[in-house]
Every structure is written in structure tokens, then in C-alpha cells.
């Protein structure tokens, strides 16, 4: 009887210990997950702050810069023109895109502009894009259908000669008959809310 009694006690103690060990292991895993999540959020926040700081500096360098005189552009129908003819007295929102940029990001950005700016105001939007080769011509023609009402003009790569070009990302700016760049801004997919705020400000201040 005593042997059976002690055997039961040993089994109970082993079960209690096993339960505590399992619980401690689960707590350790949960703590590790929380630490990893906190670390990932910290890294993401630091990255976003770095991008914001870097872009702010390049925006400041670009704002107030004159645009090149008689910059050659090409319409969708292949007709050559100069950008001066497409800048009127009223300020226009200009978006600079390129084949060098992430294709999905470009499409996502065009859809974002479409959602934020009604077609009625898009006659005051210029899309300046650069192609690396003839193969992407059809792709750009399709993109014009995304943002109907906006004017798409092809330019040579980095021909605007703005500091923002060195970032290697799409960017916005405002320009009018003075041909001076202003309100330069770089959008990022991870900072979509900030891009929406920028477009809302531009729409209310310049496009209405």
C-alpha cells in the first residue's frame, strides 16, 4: 500500500512539474514573440523616420529650383513638344515616374491619386514618365487609363535635374508658369496615409 501511495505522489509531482515546465516554455515563447514584434516595430519606425528625414532634406533642396528651359517632352501620340506649353498660369501637380521604379508601386500610386483626386480636377495633373526601352510603351499606355483626365508626357531620364531624382523613387511637386518646383514630396507604400494627406492639401490649395 505504501509503495502504491508513494508511486501516486511521485506521478502527481511529475505531472505538476511537467505542467510548470510547459507553462514556463509557453511564457518564454510568448515573451520572445512580443520581443520580436516590439523589435520589428522599432526597426520599422526607425526606417520610416530615416526616410522622412532624408526626403525632407532632398525636398528642401528641390523646392525653389527652376525647371529646365524648353525641356523636350513627348505626347502619347508621339508628337514632340516642350514642357513650358503644358504649364499654365494655374499651378499643376506633377508626378515623376520611371521604368526604374517598382512597377507595382507605380500602379499602386496611380490608383491612389485616382482615389484621392476626382477626375474633374485632373486636368491640372501632369505625369512625367521615363522609359528605358520600347518594350514598356504599351504598359504606359495602359497606365494612362488608370488616371483618366491627367496628361501623360514622356521625358528623358532625370532630365528635370532636381535633387529628388537622386532618390530613385517616384516624387511629386507643384509648378506653374514660373517654372519653379515647389512642395516636393516622395510617397512610400508604407506611408500611404501621409501621401493621402499631401494629395488632400494640394487638391484643396491648388486644384479646386
Amino acid at each position: 500500500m505504501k509503495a502504491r501511495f508513494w508511486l501516486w505522489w511521485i506521478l502527481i509531482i511529475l505531472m505538476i512539474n511537467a505542467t510548470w515546465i510547459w507553462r514556463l516554455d509557453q511564457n518564454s515563447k510568448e515573451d520572445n514573440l512580443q520581443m520580436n514584434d516590439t523589435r520589428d516595430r522599432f526597426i520599422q519606425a526607425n526606417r520610416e523616420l530615416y526616410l522622412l528625414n532624408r526626403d525632407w532634406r532632398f525636398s528642401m533642396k528641390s523646392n525653389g529650383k527652376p525647371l529646365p528651359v524648353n525641356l523636350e517632352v513627348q505626347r502619347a501620340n508621339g508628337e514632340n513638344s516642350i514642357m513650358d506649353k503644358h504649364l499654365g498660369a494655374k499651378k499643376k501637380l506633377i508626378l515623376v515616374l520611371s521604368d526604374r521604379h517598382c512597377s507595382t508601386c507605380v500602379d499602386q500610386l496611380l490608383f491612389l491619386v485616382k482615389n484621392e483626386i476626382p477626375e474633374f480636377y485632373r486636368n491640372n495633373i501632369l505625369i512625367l514618365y521615363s522609359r528605358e526601352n520600347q518594350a514598356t510603351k504599351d504598359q504606359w499606355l495602359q497606365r494612362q487609363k488608370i488616371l483618366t483626365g491627367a496628361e501623360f508626357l514622356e521625358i528623358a531620364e532625370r532630365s528635370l535635374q532636381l535633387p529628388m531624382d537622386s532618390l530613385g523613387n517616384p516624387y511629386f511637386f507643384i509648378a506653374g508658369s514660373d517654372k519653379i518646383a515647389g512642395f516636393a514630396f516622395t510617397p512610400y507604400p508604407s506611408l500611404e496615409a501621409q501621401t493621402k494627406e499631401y494629395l488632400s492639401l494640394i487638391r484643396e490649395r491648388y486644384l479646386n
Side-chain angles (χ1 to χ4, degrees):
M1 292 292 293
K2 286 185 177 180
R4 182 178 295 179
F5 172 80
W6 286 112
L7 180 61
W8 277 108
W9 266 110
I10 291 171
L11 288 174
I12 292 171
I13 291 172
L14 288 174
M15 290 177 64
I16 292 173
N17 286 338
T19 302
W20 273 106
I21 291 171
W22 177 83
R23 183 67 256 179
L24 289 172
D25 182 63
Q26 290 299 111
N27 287 340
S28 177
K29 288 179 179 178
E30 290 174 4
D31 289 342
N32 286 336
L33 286 173
Q34 289 179 355
M35 288 177 63
N36 289 335
D37 183 57
T38 301
R39 183 190 62 189
D40 291 343
R41 280 185 285 144
F42 178 76
I43 291 173
Q44 179 65 20
N46 273 349
R47 173 172 168 74
E48 290 178 357
L49 286 173
Y50 165 76
L51 292 175
L52 288 172
N53 181 58
R54 184 193 65 170
D55 295 346
W56 177 82
R57 287 188 285 108
F58 278 89
S59 296
M60 292 301 100
K61 291 178 182 179
S62 298
N63 289 334
K65 286 280 188 181
L67 300 177
V69 178
N70 296 327
L71 175 65
E72 185 173 315
V73 298
Q74 188 177 84
R75 300 173 187 264
N77 61 8
E79 178 186 343
N80 291 327
S81 179
I82 58 172
M83 193 170 70
D84 300 26
K85 294 180 179 180
H86 302 269
L87 296 174
K90 190 173 182 179
K91 297 284 188 182
K92 290 193 174 185
L93 174 63
I94 299 172
L95 172 58
V96 183
L97 301 171
S98 168
D99 278 346
R100 293 184 300 109
H101 304 148
C102 159
S103 180
T104 304
C105 299
V106 169
D107 292 340
Q108 181 181 342
L109 186 54
L110 289 174
F111 276 111
L112 180 59
V113 175
K114 175 184 178 179
N115 293 334
E116 295 301 311
I117 300 181
E119 187 173 351
F120 181 78
Y121 301 115
R122 291 184 205 150
N123 62 316
N124 290 314
I125 297 178
L126 281 180
I127 309 297
L128 302 179
Y129 67 94
S130 305
R131 289 190 297 114
E132 290 187 335
N133 52 61
Q134 197 68 14
T136 59
K137 182 177 181 179
D138 289 342
Q139 186 178 33
W140 286 104
L141 289 174
Q142 287 298 318
R143 284 171 174 163
Q144 294 183 38
K145 296 177 182 179
I146 297 175
L147 200 60
T148 54
E151 187 172 22
F152 282 68
L153 299 172
E154 185 178 348
I155 61 173
E157 190 72 53
R158 299 189 178 185
S159 56
L160 291 171
Q161 301 172 21
L162 293 174
M164 297 289 281
D165 285 327
S166 62
L167 292 174
N169 295 319
Y171 65 90
F172 292 98
F173 68 93
I174 292 293
S177 57
D178 57 1
K179 302 174 186 64
I180 299 294
F183 278 92
F185 172 81
T186 303
Y188 286 96
S190 61
L191 301 173
E192 187 174 288
Q194 187 184 44
T195 305
K196 289 181 178 180
E197 289 180 11
Y198 173 82
L199 292 174
S200 177
L201 174 65
I202 296 302
R203 184 184 67 244
E204 293 172 2
R205 185 172 297 185
Y206 295 107
L207 304 186
N208 286 345

